[in-house]
Amino acid sequence: MELQEYNAREIVQEINSVLPQKINLFNKRGIIIASTDTQRIGTFHGGAARVIQENLDELRIYSCTEYPGARPGTNFILRVDGEPIGVLGITGAYEDILPLAQVIRKMTELIVRDQRLTWQQARQEHQRQQILSDLLMRSETFVNNETVEQAAALGIDLRIPHRVLAVGLLPGQSDAPLAQSYAAIAQRARQIDHTVLSCQTRTALFLLTRSQRQDSLLDFAQQLRGMTAPALPVCIGIDNFHADAIQLHAAAREAQKALLSCLRKGNVFIKFYDQINMEIFADDIPDKTKHAYIHKIFSDYSEQELQEAIHTLEVFFEHDGSIARAAAALFIHKNTLQLHLRKIAQRTGYDPRSLRNSAVFYLVIYFYQDLHLLQQSL
């Protein structure tokens, strides 16, 4: 551990605001890293270097010729938990500056200990995020006894089953950076349940909770949405129950599929995996294949025409094929909607009013929503 430049500057500024003494702080190589005389910063001090090399408690200097870069004063070693971290130099009579040296030593020790604790906490959080990411994104074959022990040391008990929630933001409805938004959501989640673990990935924020019951999970998700809206309009996908505590990879995939189902529709904000249907297999279809299928059915449509046709079909199917209700939702006359549907049937060869052909258009709508969502997230 070593005294850092920004900490050294903070100490010098604090002391200099109330006391007139000239103060220098040196790193373990004898270089001045903070000083009341800014012109000396970055220069070498032979006396400070000796204090570190010989582990001296203090070294008095009486003239400018004793050590390179030195001036009269006293240099005191700075230690934290017995480890040298730097040197303090003060100009003035020894008897006058000794009490001041003790105060600065104590202040430095507290600041550096706090810095060390912050660094250790950041390192532990990085390790926790890494192992959570591995548990969620990699196959369960990754988990072994060593992994379980590593996780336990980081506060992750893999002997206890966890449910997984995937949280995402509706595209284009938040101006904040994604990582910052996820951090805020994770903080809200811990306010609801302090045992919740969070892991940010490229695709979603995953939350791991010990709650197992569906009603408890739904209540948690609703509270989280209430605490984050309207600034952060979130959608939440929730996995199925897994009795095996290490099935986190499978749980994460389920939660993410449920989340994507919410994001596609844009009007359903919380969904369990057992509430989705086609997403179970359709998400595994390559995007290139989805694109090819859309343009096979709507082969001679422009992008604008395709967008308008998809919107018409979405509303038509959302209202269970009711011409009257779909036309009202589209703010057009029933005859106008009938005309649009007949044109789609003529140009594609598939009649959306036919039960037999409805599956064709349902797939098109699903693939179109999926590709559109992908473009918005890029």
Side-chain angles (χ1 to χ4, degrees), residues 12 20 25 91 96 102 104 119 125 139 144-145 157 196 203 240 245 264 277 281 288 312 314 318 324 333 343 350 353:
V12 169
L25 285 172
T91 301
D96 295 335
Q102 301 307 321
I104 298 176
W119 178 82
E125 180 58 26
S139 167
N144 53 37
N145 289 336
D157 192 345
V196 165
T203 55
N240 262 339
R264 285 188 189 94
N277 43 59
F281 69 86
K288 185 176 180 180
T312 298
E314 278 182 314
E318 280 176 0
H333 194 273
K343 284 185 176 180
Y350 298 95
R353 295 165 296 182

Side-chain angles (χ1 to χ4, degrees), residues 145-210:
N145 289 336
E146 183 180 353
T147 311
V148 172
E149 291 176 3
Q150 289 175 348
L154 295 168
I156 306 168
D157 192 345
L158 295 179
R159 299 168 300 176
I160 300 174
H162 287 80
R163 296 294 295 271
V164 178
L165 295 82
V167 182
L169 294 171
L170 288 170
Q173 296 195 30
S174 175
D175 297 329
L178 193 58
Q180 180 180 326
S181 298
Y182 282 166
I185 295 167
Q187 183 179 13
R188 300 291 188 278
R190 285 189 288 272
Q191 290 175 2
I192 302 170
D193 179 358
H194 73 277
T195 66
V196 165
L197 299 170
S198 64
C199 178
Q200 294 186 30
T201 71
R202 187 173 51 85
T203 55
L205 168 68
F206 289 95
L207 302 175
L208 284 73
T209 174
R210 297 180 182 182

Side-chain angles (χ1 to χ4, degrees), residues 270-286:
I270 301 172
K271 188 173 281 191
F272 287 87
Y273 179 73
D274 59 10
Q275 293 176 314
I276 67 175
N277 43 59
M278 193 170 66
E279 291 95 333
I280 292 175
F281 69 86
D283 286 334
D284 297 325
I285 298 173

Side-chain angles (χ1 to χ4, degrees), residues 106-120:
K106 193 65 177 178
M107 178 186 295
T108 304
E109 180 180 352
L110 292 173
I111 289 176
V112 174
R113 277 182 174 161
D114 184 63
Q115 173 199 341
R116 175 181 288 180
L117 178 61
T118 301
W119 178 82
Q120 289 172 339

Side-chain angles (χ1 to χ4, degrees), residues 341-354:
L341 295 174
R342 280 199 297 271
K343 284 185 176 180
I344 291 173
Q346 291 168 0
R347 293 181 67 178
T348 65
Y350 298 95
D351 189 346
R353 295 165 296 182
S354 164

